[in-house]
Amino acid sequence: MRPARPRRSCLAVPGSSEKMLKKAQGLPADQVFLDLEDSVAPIAKPPARANIIQALNHGDWSGKTRVVRINDADTKWAHEDVLTVVRGAGANLDCIMLPKVERVAHIHWLDVLLTQVERELALPDGGIGIEAQIEGPAGLSEIDAIAAATSRTETLIFGPGDFMAAMKMPALTIGVPGATGYDPFDTVLMTIAMTARKYGLQAIDGPFALIKDTEGYRASAERAAAYGYDGKWVLHPGQIDTANTVFAPSQDDYDKAELIIEAYAHHTSASGGGVGAAMLGDEMIDEASRKVALVTAERGRVLGMSRTTYFDPTA
């Protein structure tokens, strides 16, 4: 099993910007991904690798999941991205994000290459995880095979920009489909979420490019949260707090979830009567209630939340 990492807010940081690499270290994002792909011009990619290595090795990323997004597997940069970054900072790296995953061979390539470099450097086999970005219809059609390809995989990520282009959607802003009356992303979001849950992975929603539209970002995040997503990309520090709030349980919800679990454990025990359904206040709880509550409880536990209420069987 891969480690359970908070990923409510996944901050994109261009590897070509030393200023942004430094600033990101002090921001309250759960995850940072230091980018070598779309946010970095072709001429700037080699020096960006060096910037990222310097930042990973000498920066303070306390409490954050450290990820590097390489160029996609079909580009001339991808192989050297992996070799340079992992050789330079593999001990200070949690995951590699692979964009534009169009077929399972892309994941197999990265998995084998990471294993080779880990062994070369005497790093733990499989220590570096993979985040797979689904950005087109080909990748979506192979998503089951992609998700099951290696135990390294930790997340499936929706990449709306390239997906919109591949599907020839009549829209001009990334993350905003441009349609009225329906959402053309619904099926894609559900497919990614279902596949992630099927294989025990986290599901992450991609960017919302209207940086100043805080309500639009919130609505986009809430849509993804409604499908069970674990987090969303952040393109600007102003989006971080919204993501952290939307993808975390409220204190009341966390307390209720733990209370349901605790109460149901009591009622199903011999001392509690050994019943399969019971009343908790005005609500009937049963095994299905426990499973639903466990989702919220586990998210709260990963975030280090503390309970403020406890079940009293004598009440």
Side-chain angles (χ1 to χ4, degrees):
M1 295 292 293
R2 304 299 302 181
R5 310 182 199 268
R7 284 186 168 99
R8 297 168 299 172
S9 49
C10 301
L11 176 64
V13 186
S16 54
S17 173
E18 295 181 57
K19 177 182 177 181
M20 295 181 73
L21 286 167
K22 183 175 182 180
K23 182 178 180 180
Q25 297 171 41
L27 296 174
D30 285 345
Q31 171 174 303
V32 292
F33 70 89
L34 313 184
D35 194 25
L36 287 169
E37 200 216 10
D38 284 350
S39 69
V40 179
I43 196 173
K45 292 184 189 294
R49 294 176 188 138
N51 293 342
I52 286 172
I53 290 168
Q54 173 71 15
L56 287 172
N57 288 339
H58 302 288
D60 182 2
W61 303 100
S62 301
K64 294 177 174 59
T65 298
R66 303 157 298 176
V67 179
V68 172
R69 181 168 73 160
I70 63 171
N71 289 278
D72 76 82
D74 289 331
T75 67
K76 64 182 181 181
W77 301 291
H79 185 76
E80 193 59 39
D81 286 346
V82 176
L83 294 180
T84 300
V85 169
V86 178
R87 282 172 174 164
N92 296 310
L93 177 64
D94 296 310
C95 295
I96 292 286
M97 183 188 299
L98 184 61
K100 299 176 178 64
V101 179
E102 292 290 271
R103 53 187 187 273
V104 68
H106 289 162
I107 297 293
H108 287 152
W109 162 78
L110 181 55
D111 182 29
V112 171
L113 183 56
L114 284 173
T115 299
Q116 291 171 337
V117 184
E118 285 170 343
R119 290 176 181 175
E120 171 193 327
L121 301 173
L123 295 173
D125 274 14
I128 298 172
I130 291 175
E131 298 191 350
Q133 198 172 359
I134 306 300
E135 302 190 71
L140 193 65
S141 68
E142 283 199 42
I143 193 169
D144 266 82
I146 288 166
T150 171
S151 60
R152 287 184 187 272
T153 304
E154 297 190 13
T155 71
L156 296 177
I157 304 167
F158 177 41
D162 280 274
F163 199 92
M164 292 161 74
M167 294 298 293
K168 301 187 183 301
M169 291 182 177
L172 293 173
T173 301
I174 293 173
V176 184
T180 57
Y182 68 96
D183 189 337
F185 287 160
D186 280 345
T187 299
V188 183
L189 288 167
M190 179 58 81
T191 300
I192 291 173
M194 288 175 60
T195 308
R197 296 301 174 238
K198 181 178 178 179
Y199 293 99
L201 309 178
Q202 289 184 309
I204 305 298
D205 192 21
F208 184 86
L210 294 176
I211 300 300
K212 294 184 179 180
D213 184 0
T214 55
E215 290 307 309
Y217 180 84
R218 176 177 290 276
S220 181
E222 288 176 344
R223 174 192 62 182
Y227 283 111
Y229 277 63
D230 298 280
K232 183 172 177 62
W233 277 17
V234 170
L235 299 183
H236 185 272
Q239 296 176 331
I240 293 176
D241 287 346
T242 299
N244 286 346
T245 299
V246 169
F247 293 99
S250 68
Q251 185 65 52
D252 285 347
D253 284 349
Y254 175 65
D255 282 334
K256 180 179 178 180
E258 294 285 16
L259 196 63
I260 290 171
I261 294 167
E262 193 174 23
Y264 188 67
H266 167 74
H267 287 299
T268 55
S269 69
S271 60
V275 296
M279 295 300 295
L280 179 62
D282 295 330
E283 182 176 350
M284 188 200 79
I285 60 171
D286 59 11
E287 174 61 14
S289 306
R290 184 194 68 82
K291 290 177 180 176
V292 170
L294 191 58
V295 173
T296 297
E298 287 179 341
R299 287 188 174 179
R301 294 167 190 172
V302 168
L303 295 172
M305 296 180 70
S306 299
R307 297 178 64 177
T308 62
T309 60
Y310 293 88
F311 176 66
D312 181 0
T314 64

